[in-house]
Amino acid sequence: MELDSGENAPVDPEVRAYIYSLVSALGGTGASGDGRYVLGDDALACLKDIKRWIKLYDERLNRLDVARCLGESNLVRGDLLEILALWTESGLDDRLMSKIALASLELLVPLTWPIEKNDQQMTRNHHRHMPYLQAAQTMYKRSILTYDATPILRAAVRLGLPSIALDPSERTGRDEGIIKIILYFLRNVAMIALPPWASDEDDEDNLTRSATIEAFHVQDIFQFLMTIGAGIGEEFNTQDVVVLEVLFHILKGVDIEKLFMNDIQVEASKDNELRTLLEKEAGMRRDYARNAPTRHNRFGTMIWIKRDDNRVSTVSGQDVLLNNQKSLAKIDDSKQWKRPKPRVKEPATTQIDMDMPTPLTPCATRHLRAFVEDFLDSAFNPLFSHVRKAIEREADRIVEAHRRQFFYLVGWFLQAERVRHRQAREGKGASPASEEDADTYAVIASVLTQETFIALNRFMQESIDQKEWQDLTAGMRCFTQILLTVQEMSESSLEDDQTIAENILNRIFYEETTHDRMVIVIRSYANQGLGYLDACTELAHVYLRMLEHYSKQNMEMQVRSRRRARRKKNAVIAAGEEMKDAAEDEAVADAEDMAHAQRVSSERKFDFHRFAGKFMTQACVDTFVALARCYADLTPEQLKRAHRFFYRVAFKMEMSVMLMRVDIVALFYKMIKGPQGLVHNSPAFGEWDEIIRQIFKRLARKMADRPSLVVEMLFSKINATVHFLEHGRDKEVTARIPRAPAELEVKPGFDLQEQIGIVVSILLNLGQQDTLEWIEDVLKGAIIERQAWEVQAMALQSNQEDPRPRENLAPPPAPSMVVKPDNEARRLAILKNNKLRLLMTLVGFQQLGVDDEVRTMWTIPSFLTSIGLRGSLAAIEAARSSPPVFDDDKSAEDLIRRKSAAPRRRAAFDDDSDDGIDHDEGEADFMFPAGGPTFRKADAVKKPKKRRNRDDDDTEPMTDAQREARAEARREADLERRRKIKSALYIHDSDDEDDEERDQQFFRQEEKRREKQQQQVLSTLASRASTGALQAEKSGQKMDGSRKRKSGHDGRGGRKSRRVAQSSLSDDENSIMTSAESSIHALSESAESTEEEEKLETPPSSPRLVSSQDELRERARSMSVRSPAATSVTKLVRHDEHVVDSNMDDEDDDAPVAMSSRRARGILIDSDSE
């Protein structure tokens, strides 16, 4: 056979000759009859030469010629696998044989490495060799998994056992490389799959995922992976991403629900699937029976349909005779429109199809489920925590595919853990490691941290920005599983899990950027594939449902919103202007830095209805409509997802107009009425039938109310159109009223010229030279105009003939001048720039109108003369030419402050007087402002009280000095009381409004005071009872004499008695109550003499006071009847009423109105009755 040469040859003949010679020298079958493989003399050198050819020719020149020659020469099946088997049989102690086996493994890794080339990287050589090499790799995998002599995967692991057994500190780079080579070999075996162009006949059992899983289980590869994964971070460091890749290619596409089913559940699932298929087949048969061919179908049929534009369309077939709908449908099917397809970015690899379901055999399912459970319990946290840290620090071994694989596996294992927990609770299959861990989620704690959430949010945002839809799909699936896991944790029986779930939800829902990202991913769908469509709709459904539930539980939920705030840019400096010194350069650089965007965060209350309204756009509705179009292939869960969204749009948000579009209405009709609609026996049919019926009812009503809806049904709708169709009027948009900034002022201690210099320096630092130039221009124009007016006024004044002296004539006031902005930007700056407003105020400008209006007018008042304006202009020019320098390294910004919104409220006594009262204003001004008018006694004329003199008292009358001292003391006490009232008004702490400790202390003091008074009363009664008779006789004799003296001296004895009482009593209320006789009688007499006053002061609904008065009278009568001692006590009490009454008259202004009644109840009634 003659080899091809020249351009028609797939491989250079010289390269082919060299490779074939090396393969022949490597070894072959011996001449003996047993057919054993025999190594060549220089087998190790041949292997190294082949490796060198692959590296220097294929990799460096970006060709595949050497790999093609090695595939044609059957190197893998005929030599490399035979060498590994021969090494296993010869023993592990043979060093030469171990080196040859390791060299064979080093060749297996590049030969089995998946070929991943995109269109930009493909060359003519690649297109020539790739189909052959992909078929060759499938042969390599089949040979590795089905090699009978020796388990090749186990042999490869045994090659690395000496390096694995070493301590991490003792391993060399060669040892680390050997471990990595083994892992890469396992990754390649798991990754090799049938090429897309391969036929179904090539799909044999030994190439499926089930065959790979069974081989991994039989040859203990799963145990090896768990050993490496559990030791990540301690025993192994750089092998984490390779283990991650192996797991990804083993687990991707595996149905987790079926993975954790037991045999009974698997059989039930298969029965349900068969039943569903039979129902679909029956529906198809029914649809076909409606239009089944008859015996007349041998006759041809062709009809014409005349359209509105008088054009005729031809349709053939007997089925078009049934109805118009069938005819029109057949016309639509016959239409052909070659729509230009947009260029879709091809993925960089063909091995990232994560959404393709992968069926497994029952045996492979059991082995994989056991591995997943063991991996979750032992190796999940160390591996994924270490990989996340490597991704965060962007280690060299991390590539873009690793981040996608990481987040995909995080979501996969979270769902597996949730299913395992559910199965454990139901008692139907898989269970956690122990009974104690049945409700804990500690085995997945490493991916439920704040660091993981930050990395996930960053990954999703970068995927959105770069339009990496496969990466975004993995991120969305991961985020969805995190939300579902946290929801189950919140329902856990362990309080720790509930607390952790609450904290996680609080962190997730606190960021408004997360809410906005959910809206972006659902709006971004544009034919990215069913995987992206399923992931984004599931995430939106779960996120909305959980956020709604969380916001209802936390009514005061706060979110942190972030926006970009840009400071005003510097004025553009004229081209060619050079900086004078380095200080100006630095100032410009600082101004440019201030112009950069800054992140401004603020908290606000979360409104779920407002957030849900962001999903009520046509893009979001179209995304769920695209999902609903695949209703025939959707699961019940996916149909429920679309149903809930349409229900939220139409009924919860009251925006059913969004669904009133021709294509959406036609889809809804087809889903229910057919042809090829939902199966009537499906569980989702009832819900869809009800919601579609309600939407059609609303459609009919809307079309009757809004005839314009008939036209709008042809188009997508914007928010303004939706509002008009829903409410019949345009949406009212209120313009935002601009608000003036906080007013500024210069700190005290500077004169006017210095204040102007400070503000000018600030404007210069901000780069607002144009603002200062405008101010100078305004001042110059005002000076010219004001000076001209002054000259004219003086001339007119000199020409006037007035008999009065000229120096006594005041010139007429000058007219005010309006400050006119030169452009709209200046007009807005006058409102928004508080530094400019401060400068305008300092130079004398005045503002007219409201501060918050853009059109507010500023004027130059009439009292400003040209001299004053010239002084302000000179101050501004001086500050511009030589900016002021301040002490203590202070800047101009440090010398201004915000002007307080309102002056401090001063109390009326807040002055420099000694007593805190301004006596010049008079006491009348101080009567009510403190606390307002208070309750006081009526001003009606009081009945004169009967007073009795008492001559047996030896107390001397008070002098005038004592009376003045008494009055001064009462005045001081009154002033102190008023100060407290005003202090409570102006200095009031909200914590004092409800102070239980203070109330308890007050009640305890009141209780002690009542007890002390009661003991004093009882002791006084007991002492008076023993000497009652003697005192009664003496009192009777002196009473007769007092009457005579009273009539003879015209009432002077009464005044003397009053003076005695005043001198014997103190001002304090407690000292008044120390005398038992005066207390009891004063209270009883007060109840009788002030009965008319109490009618005005005491509400009629308080019978307690009346009963207290009656009780006092009854006790007095009973005491007078029972014993003479009681009678004497009663007389003494009646005699002492003058003392109390006189003192009470002096303290009418201080004592409360009903004080006498309260004292009576405090003494004669048990304290508990109050």
Side-chain angles (χ1 to χ4, degrees):
M1 178 178 179
E2 184 179 357
L3 297 176
D4 295 335
S5 61
E7 296 182 357
N8 296 327
V11 180
D12 187 1
E14 295 184 4
V15 175
R16 187 189 300 271
Y18 275 112
I19 298 301
Y20 278 12
S21 62
L22 289 175
V23 173
S24 301
L26 181 59
T29 304
S32 59
D34 56 357
R36 295 175 61 85
Y37 186 83
V38 179
L39 287 173
D41 295 336
D42 294 330
L44 183 59
C46 293
L47 291 173
K48 291 181 178 180
D49 289 343
I50 295 174
K51 179 181 177 182
R52 192 176 297 112
W53 268 97
I54 294 175
K55 183 176 182 181
L56 298 179
Y57 192 85
D58 278 4
E59 295 181 3
R60 179 171 297 182
L61 300 179
N62 193 21
R63 299 177 64 88
L64 301 176
D65 295 346
V66 177
R68 173 76 178 260
C69 294
L70 293 177
E72 292 175 352
S73 62
N74 195 20
L75 175 67
V76 174
R77 181 66 178 85
D79 294 281
L80 299 182
L81 300 185
E82 295 288 347
I83 292 174
L84 290 176
L86 187 63
W87 169 74
T88 305
E89 296 175 0
S90 62
L92 304 179
D93 297 334
D94 191 347
R95 293 178 58 87
L96 179 60
M97 197 63 199
S98 299
K99 291 182 179 180
I100 295 175
L102 183 59
S104 301
L105 183 62
E106 291 178 356
L107 280 178
L108 279 174
V109 171
L111 291 177
T112 57
W113 199 281
I115 304 173
E116 300 175 354
K117 302 289 184 181
N118 54 26
D119 293 339
Q120 289 76 20
Q121 297 175 345
M122 293 287 287
T123 63
R124 182 179 179 182
N125 183 272
H126 295 155
H127 284 288
R128 181 184 298 172
H129 297 312
M130 276 188 63
Y132 180 86
L133 292 179
Q134 289 176 350
Q137 285 182 348
T138 58
M139 297 297 296
Y140 298 160
K141 181 175 181 179
R142 183 182 295 111
S143 301
I144 291 170
L145 296 180
T146 61
Y147 192 74
D148 298 333
T150 301
I152 301 300
L153 299 178
R154 181 180 295 174
V157 172
R158 291 175 65 184
L159 281 172
L161 289 180
S163 300
I164 296 173
L166 293 176
D167 189 81
S169 59
E170 298 178 359
R171 291 180 193 150
T172 62
R174 181 176 180 274
D175 297 327
E176 297 290 344
I178 291 174
I179 299 174
K180 191 174 293 186
I181 285 175
I182 297 171
L183 291 172
Y184 276 123
F185 176 63
L186 298 177
R187 190 278 311 266
N188 295 344
V189 173
M191 194 174 180
I192 294 175
L194 284 173
W197 46 265
S199 61
D200 297 337
E201 297 177 357
D202 297 333
D203 188 7
E204 300 179 3
D205 294 340
N206 46 25
L207 289 178
T208 59
R209 185 78 60 83
S210 299
T212 305
I213 293 173
E214 291 178 4
F216 276 30
H217 172 73
V218 172
Q219 302 184 32
D220 298 330
I221 302 303
F222 284 146
Q223 299 297 328
F224 173 71
L225 293 176
M226 280 192 294
T227 302
I228 300 295
I232 291 294
E234 297 179 357
E235 298 290 334
F236 311 97
N237 290 320
T238 60
Q239 294 82 10
D240 49 358
V241 293
V242 190
V243 177
L244 187 76
E245 290 186 49
V246 176
L247 294 175
F248 174 76
H249 293 291
I250 288 292
L251 300 176
K252 68 173 183 179
V254 176
D255 191 349
I256 300 176
E257 296 289 343
K258 294 181 179 180
L259 182 65
F260 284 90
M261 289 181 181
N262 53 24
D263 296 338
I264 300 176
Q265 292 175 333
V266 170
E267 294 298 330
S269 176
K270 290 181 179 180
D271 294 342
N272 293 333
E273 292 178 0
L274 179 60
R275 186 179 302 106
T276 303
L277 292 176
L278 292 176
E279 290 176 354
K280 288 184 179 180
E281 183 182 5
M284 293 173 61
R285 290 180 180 276
R286 285 194 298 269
D287 293 338
Y288 180 74
R290 294 192 185 101
N291 304 322
T294 63
R295 62 188 181 90
H296 301 286
N297 63 347
R298 65 176 63 95
F299 304 106
T301 303
M302 177 177 291
I303 64 172
W304 289 350
I305 297 179
K306 190 175 183 179
R307 293 182 292 182
D308 297 336
D309 54 357
N310 294 327
R311 298 183 63 181
V312 178
S313 298
T314 304
V315 184
S316 62
Q318 290 185 353
D319 52 348
V320 299
L321 299 175
L322 296 177
N323 49 41
N324 295 334
Q325 181 182 359
K326 189 66 176 178
S327 303
L328 296 176
K330 194 159 188 178
I331 291 177
D332 293 337
D333 294 339
S334 63
K335 292 178 181 178
Q336 293 182 359
W337 178 39
K338 295 183 180 180
R339 181 179 180 180
K341 295 182 179 180
R343 297 191 61 182
V344 181
K345 183 179 178 181
E346 294 293 336
T349 176
T350 59
Q351 304 291 339
I352 60 176
D353 191 4
M354 303 172 294
D355 306 312
M356 185 66 68
T358 303
L360 297 178
T361 61
C363 183
T365 301
R366 289 193 301 269
H367 298 330
L368 185 59
R369 181 177 61 190
F371 165 71
V372 170
E373 292 179 357
D374 294 340
F375 186 85
L376 280 170
D377 296 334
S378 61
F380 179 82
N381 283 336
L383 175 62
F384 281 82
S385 177
H386 199 269
V387 174
R388 177 187 56 78
K389 294 177 182 178
I391 292 175
E392 289 177 351
R393 63 175 179 267
E394 297 181 355
D396 295 337
R397 62 182 183 276
I398 299 295
V399 297
E400 290 298 326
H402 292 154
R403 296 202 302 169
R404 176 175 61 250
Q405 294 169 0
F406 172 78
F407 289 111
Y408 177 83
L409 289 178
V410 167
W412 196 95
F413 279 107
L414 287 178
Q415 185 179 1
E417 182 66 14
R418 289 194 304 106
V419 175
R420 185 164 70 131
H421 272 268
R422 186 174 68 246
Q423 295 285 351
R425 288 193 297 268
E426 296 175 357
K428 296 181 180 180
S431 61
S434 62
E435 294 292 337
E436 299 177 356
D437 299 336
D439 290 334
T440 185
Y441 290 84
V443 296
I444 54 174
S446 63
V447 296
L448 297 179
T449 59
Q450 184 66 14
E451 292 80 3
T452 305
F453 301 150
I454 294 174
L456 177 59
N457 289 329
R458 185 186 301 115
F459 174 72
M460 293 177 64
Q461 189 61 45
E462 291 177 359
S463 302
I464 293 173
D465 297 338
Q466 300 174 6
K467 300 187 184 311
E468 296 289 345
W469 307 122
Q470 288 284 349
D471 295 354
L472 184 57
T473 302
M476 288 189 295
R477 292 192 183 279
C478 178
F479 193 61
T480 303
Q481 295 304 322
I482 287 176
L483 292 176
L484 294 175
T485 303
V486 172
Q487 182 183 12
E488 289 198 0
M489 289 177 63
S490 62
E491 300 172 356
S492 174
S493 59
L494 299 179
E495 186 177 355
D496 293 341
D497 288 345
Q498 297 177 6
T499 304
I500 294 172
E502 181 69 20
N503 294 335
I504 291 175
L505 289 179
N506 188 20
R507 290 177 179 271
I508 291 176
F509 295 146
Y510 179 63
E511 296 291 342
E512 190 180 30
T513 54
T514 305
H515 304 322
D516 297 337
R517 192 177 297 113
M518 298 302 105
V519 181
I520 291 174
V521 296
I522 200 68
R523 290 180 180 177
S524 301
Y525 173 74
N527 299 323
Q528 286 94 342
L530 292 178
Y532 180 91
L533 179 62
D534 180 58
C536 68
T537 53
E538 182 182 13
L539 176 58
H541 171 71
V542 173
Y543 193 85
L544 277 173
R545 181 168 51 85
M546 292 186 62
L547 182 57
E548 183 179 14
H549 180 70
Y550 185 81
S551 61
K552 289 180 180 179
Q553 290 183 342
N554 301 270
M555 301 300 295
E556 300 298 329
M557 177 182 170
Q558 300 287 326
V559 293
R560 179 171 61 182
S561 59
R562 294 183 178 181
R563 58 182 176 85
R564 286 192 176 271
R566 293 185 177 270
R567 299 194 178 184
K568 295 182 180 180
K569 296 182 179 180
N570 301 337
V572 179
I573 302 176
E577 183 179 0
E578 297 181 356
M579 298 299 174
K580 296 181 179 180
D581 49 15
E584 294 183 2
D585 293 337
E586 185 178 356
V588 172
D590 294 340
E592 290 177 355
D593 293 339
M594 294 175 66
H596 289 169
Q598 296 180 350
R599 300 298 294 181
V600 178
S601 301
S602 61
E603 287 189 353
R604 63 175 178 83
K605 187 176 180 181
F606 179 75
D607 185 3
F608 177 78
H609 190 271
R610 177 185 175 187
F611 170 70
K614 296 181 179 180
F615 288 86
M616 304 301 113
T617 59
Q618 199 66 57
C620 296
V621 173
D622 290 344
T623 301
F624 279 89
V625 168
L627 179 67
R629 292 187 192 280
C630 308
Y631 62 89
D633 301 323
L634 297 181
T635 62
E637 181 63 29
Q638 293 170 334
L639 285 172
K640 180 180 179 181
R641 188 188 310 161
H643 174 274
R644 294 297 184 270
F645 180 80
F646 292 143
Y647 177 82
R648 182 182 298 276
V649 172
F651 302 102
K652 284 190 175 182
M653 303 300 296
E654 293 294 336
M655 297 181 68
S656 57
V657 178
M658 298 294 297
L659 304 177
M660 296 177 185
R661 201 175 63 191
V662 173
D663 58 334
I664 301 177
V665 172
L667 173 64
F668 288 165
Y669 182 84
K670 183 179 179 181
M671 291 176 66
I672 301 302
K673 299 298 182 180
Q676 299 177 357
L678 285 173
V679 180
H680 288 226
N681 297 332
S682 63
F685 180 82
E687 296 179 349
W688 278 97
D689 182 37
E690 180 63 24
I691 189 175
I692 291 175
R693 186 163 54 85
Q694 295 296 332
I695 290 175
F696 280 9
K697 285 183 178 180
R698 293 199 172 193
L699 175 60
R701 290 196 296 267
K702 289 291 183 183
M703 292 180 68
D705 297 339
R706 314 275 189 269
S708 59
L709 180 60
V710 179
V711 179
E712 293 294 340
M713 287 180 65
L714 300 174
F715 310 100
S716 298
K717 300 169 184 62
I718 59 177
N719 293 333
T721 305
V722 172
H723 188 274
F724 176 79
L725 295 176
E726 286 286 352
H727 305 284
R729 64 180 184 278
D730 292 334
K731 188 176 182 180
E732 298 179 0
V733 180
T734 58
R736 184 179 180 182
I737 301 176
R739 185 175 59 181
E743 295 292 335
L744 300 177
E745 65 179 359
V746 181
K747 293 182 179 179
F750 302 95
D751 57 13
L752 181 60
Q753 303 295 328
E754 293 175 344
Q755 292 180 14
I756 293 176
I758 291 171
V759 181
V760 170
S761 179
I762 294 175
L763 293 175
L764 288 175
N765 295 338
L766 295 176
Q768 299 180 4
Q769 291 87 351
D770 58 338
T771 302
L772 295 175
E773 293 175 358
W774 173 74
I775 288 287
E776 291 178 355
D777 294 340
V778 172
L779 287 174
K780 290 177 182 178
I783 290 172
I784 296 173
E785 185 175 350
R786 184 58 53 88
Q787 191 173 5
W789 184 89
E790 290 175 353
V791 172
Q792 183 181 2
M794 293 177 63
L796 292 176
Q797 187 178 7
S798 62
N799 295 332
Q800 290 178 354
E801 296 180 358
D802 198 313
R804 291 177 297 176
R806 187 171 297 173
E807 58 270 8
N808 295 334
L809 293 176
S816 299
M817 291 177 286
V818 179
V819 179
K820 297 180 179 180
D822 54 353
N823 50 40
E824 287 297 327
R826 191 81 62 207
R827 188 186 303 276
L828 185 61
I830 292 175
L831 176 65
K832 292 292 186 180
N833 192 345
N834 50 5
K835 281 85 174 178
L836 175 59
R837 294 166 65 92
L838 176 59
L839 180 59
M840 295 173 67
T841 304
L842 291 177
V843 298
F845 296 173
Q846 289 184 349
Q847 181 182 4
L848 303 179
V850 186
D851 291 343
D852 293 343
E853 292 182 359
V854 181
R855 301 292 177 180
T856 300
M857 183 180 300
W858 285 75
T859 62
I860 301 175
S862 58
F863 60 82
L864 286 180
T865 63
S866 60
I867 299 176
L869 294 174
R870 190 175 289 107
S872 299
L873 177 62
I876 294 176
E877 291 177 346
R880 287 190 65 187
S881 59
S882 59
V885 180
F886 309 100
D887 299 334
D888 300 332
D889 296 334
K890 290 185 177 180
S891 62
E893 288 79 1
D894 299 332
L895 301 178
I896 63 173
R897 65 185 180 185
R898 294 182 62 179
K899 188 182 296 184
S900 67
R904 183 179 65 90
R905 294 184 61 187
R906 289 184 57 194
F909 56 84
D910 191 4
D911 54 14
D912 298 332
S913 61
D914 295 335
D915 55 3
I917 303 298
D918 190 0
H919 300 284
D920 296 337
E921 296 178 359
E923 189 167 343
D925 297 335
F926 189 45
M927 186 63 64
F928 291 117
T934 56
F935 188 79
R936 62 187 185 88
K937 292 186 178 182
D939 294 333
V941 179
K942 300 179 182 179
K943 293 176 63 177
K945 299 180 181 179
K946 296 181 179 180
R947 305 184 184 276
R948 295 189 176 121
N949 295 331
R950 189 176 173 187
D951 298 337
D952 57 345
D953 197 342
D954 298 334
T955 306
E956 296 181 0
M958 294 179 61
T959 62
D960 295 338
Q962 290 176 345
R963 282 194 212 93
E964 292 177 359
R966 278 290 189 89
E968 184 65 20
R970 285 195 299 272
R971 182 173 174 276
E972 292 293 335
D974 189 21
L975 292 176
E976 184 65 21
R977 180 176 61 84
R978 295 180 183 180
R979 291 191 191 97
K980 293 180 180 179
I981 294 173
K982 290 199 172 185
S983 298
L985 285 175
Y986 292 97
I987 307 172
H988 180 66
D989 193 356
S990 61
D991 295 338
D992 294 336
E993 294 178 0
D994 189 8
D995 194 347
E996 295 184 0
E997 184 177 358
R998 184 190 62 184
D999 296 343
Q1000 294 296 332
Q1001 183 180 2
F1002 171 79
F1003 293 144
R1004 286 195 297 268
Q1005 292 178 356
E1006 288 295 320
E1007 186 65 26
K1008 291 180 181 179
R1009 187 179 291 113
R1010 293 191 188 97
E1011 292 177 358
K1012 183 177 179 181
Q1013 292 171 358
Q1014 189 174 5
Q1015 291 176 1
Q1016 290 176 353
V1017 170
L1018 294 178
S1019 61
T1020 304
L1021 290 175
S1023 62
R1024 294 291 183 178
S1026 59
T1027 58
L1030 296 176
Q1031 293 180 355
E1033 293 179 1
K1034 186 177 179 180
S1035 175
Q1037 295 173 1
K1038 292 187 177 183
M1039 287 292 288
D1040 295 336
S1042 64
R1043 292 191 187 99
K1044 296 178 181 180
R1045 287 191 296 271
K1046 180 177 180 182
S1047 60
H1049 296 285
D1050 195 19
R1052 284 177 293 178
R1055 287 193 297 270
K1056 180 179 179 180
S1057 176
R1058 190 179 301 113
R1059 292 169 185 167
V1060 172
Q1062 289 176 352
S1063 62
S1064 61
L1065 295 176
S1066 62
D1067 289 333
D1068 188 74
E1069 184 179 338
N1070 292 334
S1071 63
I1072 295 174
M1073 303 303 297
T1074 54
S1075 176
E1077 310 92 79
S1078 58
S1079 300
I1080 299 175
H1081 190 69
L1083 294 172
S1084 61
E1085 187 69 15
S1086 175
E1088 295 175 355
S1089 63
T1090 62
E1091 181 177 1
E1092 184 176 354
E1093 296 175 2
E1094 291 170 351
K1095 291 179 181 179
L1096 298 174
E1097 301 163 356
T1098 307
S1101 61
S1102 55
R1104 190 172 184 178
L1105 182 60
V1106 179
S1107 62
S1108 300
Q1109 297 171 3
D1110 297 339
E1111 186 177 1
L1112 288 171
R1113 295 192 185 97
E1114 290 297 326
R1115 291 195 179 187
R1117 295 193 191 98
S1118 62
M1119 290 173 64
S1120 63
V1121 172
R1122 280 196 299 268
S1123 62
T1127 304
S1128 63
V1129 170
T1130 304
K1131 293 180 179 180
L1132 288 173
V1133 168
R1134 289 179 179 176
H1135 176 73
D1136 288 340
E1137 77 175 315
H1138 304 289
V1139 179
V1140 179
D1141 288 340
S1142 62
N1143 196 19
M1144 290 295 291
D1145 289 341
D1146 293 337
E1147 294 184 355
D1148 280 342
D1149 294 336
D1150 295 340
V1153 176
M1155 182 62 72
S1156 60
S1157 302
R1158 292 170 61 183
R1159 287 175 181 168
R1161 286 176 292 183
I1163 296 176
L1164 299 179
I1165 303 175
D1166 191 9
S1167 60
D1168 295 336
S1169 63
E1170 286 195 23

